[in-house]
Amino acid sequence: LFLKLTFFRWMNTAVVIYIITDFEDYLTVRSLRQVQAVIFGDAITSPIIRTLNLATLFKQHVIARYAPCQEKVNQYFLGKPWYPAERYADMTKSLFLALFYSVLFPAGLFITCVGYAFIYVVDKYSLLKSWRTPAEIEDDVTKIAHGHMFFAIFCHAFMSMVIFSQYPFDNICPSVLHPEPLPEELLAAKGVGER
């Protein structure tokens, strides 16, 4: 479950944006705002929506009043089930996204840092107040998540290399090694090509 969640979340957030963006549009305001919106959504919007959980609140405060028996009322107040694999996939996705675009949008690292602090507070509240108490959890997911974080750092290094080697920011001036050919009028005025 964890590997599938991580793979598809990484692809949907970082890689798809990279693929659909044209080479010349990497540094446009529209492209950077798109990346910023995804990073901000991971950092702030997603944890708020996950914590509010309006459906559960509606069941607990409205539907539970009309439950036929106490056992049914208790089911509404058990809390929402949560899975460590889902939480780790979400955290590695945020890190991967920030590292993937850190060359083009370095402020994303700071937004992700603030988002991690916010997610810590929100998840701690949810774990203590609103989520269901889980059964015993093994540390297999944690060990795999550490490997994913190292892979995210490798992808950061690779994407930095790709972006700097393609360097989409230098199309402003002609190259020194390959200057643009001079128009025929200038060549004729300089006497080039005449014998």
Side-chain angles (χ1 to χ4, degrees):
L1 176 69
F2 176 58
L3 296 175
K4 291 178 193 175
L5 282 171
T6 304
F7 175 76
F8 285 109
R9 287 183 182 189
W10 285 17
M11 290 297 134
N12 288 338
T13 56
V15 178
V16 169
I17 294 173
Y18 177 75
I19 290 172
I20 64 174
T21 304
D22 289 333
F23 176 72
E24 294 84 17
D25 295 337
Y26 282 140
L27 280 183
T28 60
V29 174
R30 180 179 168 267
S31 174
L32 293 179
R33 285 211 176 139
Q34 188 177 20
V35 172
Q36 180 183 5
V38 175
I39 290 174
F40 188 77
D42 277 345
I44 305 297
T45 310
S46 177
I48 288 174
I49 292 172
R50 187 175 51 247
T51 302
L52 287 179
N53 198 9
L54 297 176
T56 302
L57 290 174
F58 181 75
K59 287 178 186 176
Q60 290 175 348
H61 296 289
V62 176
I63 296 177
R65 292 181 183 184
Y66 304 106
C69 61
Q70 185 63 39
E71 185 176 312
K72 190 69 173 169
V73 172
N74 291 345
Q75 285 180 357
Y76 291 129
F77 286 91
L78 283 177
K80 182 181 175 187
W82 66 281
Y83 304 99
E86 191 269 332
R87 299 303 317 125
Y88 274 111
D90 206 28
M91 297 295 280
T92 58
K93 172 192 65 164
S94 298
L95 178 69
F96 180 76
L97 180 66
L99 289 174
F100 195 85
Y101 287 106
S102 66
V103 172
L104 297 176
F105 187 65
L109 294 170
F110 296 109
I111 295 171
T112 302
C113 183
V114 170
Y116 272 175
F118 183 67
I119 289 170
Y120 170 77
V121 171
V122 166
D123 282 355
K124 185 175 180 180
Y125 169 79
S126 297
L127 187 61
L128 296 175
K129 297 287 186 180
S130 65
W131 287 343
R132 185 176 296 176
T133 305
E136 287 188 23
I137 300 171
E138 295 183 7
D139 64 343
D140 296 339
V141 176
T142 305
K143 291 176 183 174
I144 295 171
H146 287 178
H148 286 182
M149 289 182 190
F150 286 120
F151 183 70
I153 293 170
F154 171 76
C155 289
H156 160 67
F158 181 76
M159 284 309 299
S160 298
M161 180 187 68
V162 166
I163 289 171
F164 283 130
S165 68
Q166 291 178 350
Y167 209 63
F169 332 113
D170 66 350
N171 293 334
I172 297 170
C173 302
S175 173
V176 174
L177 298 176
H178 304 288
E180 294 180 10
L182 294 174
E184 294 296 326
E185 300 86 34
L186 290 177
L187 291 175
K190 289 184 177 184
V192 177
E194 296 177 4
R195 296 218 174 222

